[in-house]
Amino acid sequence: MRLFVALWPSQEALRDLDRAENRLRAAPDAQNLRWAGEGGHHLTLAFLGEVPEESLPDLTARLERAARRHEPLPLRLAGGGRFGDRTLWVGVEGDVRGLGHLAASLAAGARRAGVEMEDRPFRAHLTLARGRPHRHTALRPFTELLTEFSSHEWTADHIDLVRSHPPAAGTPGAHPRYEVLHRWPLGH
């Protein structure tokens, strides 16, 4: 199973993001990007990759423990950036330090459950779009449009273990389907 641990913005923050994304999609070259799509906007706290089903009981127990050790977090989506000209993202403000500690705890728990994790520093962001292969699209103009963006603040009070179902091969514009397998409150 292809799994990740996610945190979902509030509906109010997502409405703010939708308004900003509509402006981005009207910008020149926006059609050259693959947009994350409605229902896919989340913050990945730990990407677990392919996990054997028999690892799930130990993994879920460890992730639940990690969630209990961290209090709810006040957050807001704000600004934007890019990873080269590959990925366009929206940033996060608020208790970003606490979010980083939560992400580190989740990764440590997953490693103890035998999941091989990439050893990269956590960077709080929400992916909006990706460049298409073989079509170079400069993302800097899009990040400039996000400079003043700021959503309503929300309190992140739970995390989800999510299974990603890839889209059918050869289906243009299709997005993965996400299935929440477990949800844990923070701080309880």
Side-chain angles (χ1 to χ4, degrees):
M1 293 184 285
R2 189 174 176 85
L3 303 176
F4 61 94
V5 181
L7 198 155
W8 307 90
S10 69
Q11 290 302 311
E12 194 171 35
L14 288 173
R15 280 192 294 278
D16 296 337
L17 181 60
D18 283 345
R19 284 190 289 278
E21 191 173 343
N22 287 337
R23 287 191 304 276
L24 294 171
R25 286 177 181 248
D29 294 330
Q31 75 282 357
N32 293 334
L33 299 176
R34 289 181 306 142
W35 295 89
E38 198 171 308
H41 291 313
H42 63 274
L43 284 77
T44 300
L45 299 176
F47 179 73
L48 307 175
E50 294 294 330
V51 176
E53 197 164 338
E54 59 270 12
S55 300
L56 217 48
D58 188 29
L59 175 65
T60 57
R62 291 177 185 277
L63 295 177
E64 180 180 18
R65 264 180 280 183
R68 277 197 315 255
R69 289 193 302 264
H70 296 271
E71 292 301 315
L73 305 161
L75 300 172
R76 89 171 54 245
L77 301 174
R82 61 193 173 102
F83 298 129
D85 279 330
R86 297 179 330 269
T87 306
L88 175 67
W89 49 264
V90 167
V92 179
E93 291 180 347
D95 191 356
V96 176
R97 184 176 179 174
L99 190 62
H101 290 309
L102 173 61
S105 289
L106 295 166
R111 282 188 190 98
R112 284 188 209 97
V115 176
E116 292 184 31
M117 302 281 298
E118 288 183 2
D119 191 20
R120 296 193 252 194
F122 174 73
R123 184 163 185 181
H125 71 281
L126 183 149
T127 298
L128 284 177
R130 290 186 170 79
R132 292 183 189 271
H134 313 297
R135 280 192 194 169
H136 179 268
T137 304
L139 295 181
R140 183 178 304 258
F142 293 94
T143 62
E144 289 170 1
L145 291 172
L146 288 167
T147 302
E148 300 298 319
F149 171 70
S150 183
S151 77
H152 283 84
E153 183 175 280
W154 83 95
T155 300
D157 60 2
H158 67 275
I159 60 169
D160 293 335
L161 178 62
V162 181
R163 181 176 184 178
S164 177
H165 298 274
T171 309
H175 297 286
R177 182 176 58 82
Y178 298 134
E179 173 189 6
V180 174
L181 299 180
H182 294 278
R183 174 169 284 168
W184 301 285
L186 294 176
H188 297 281

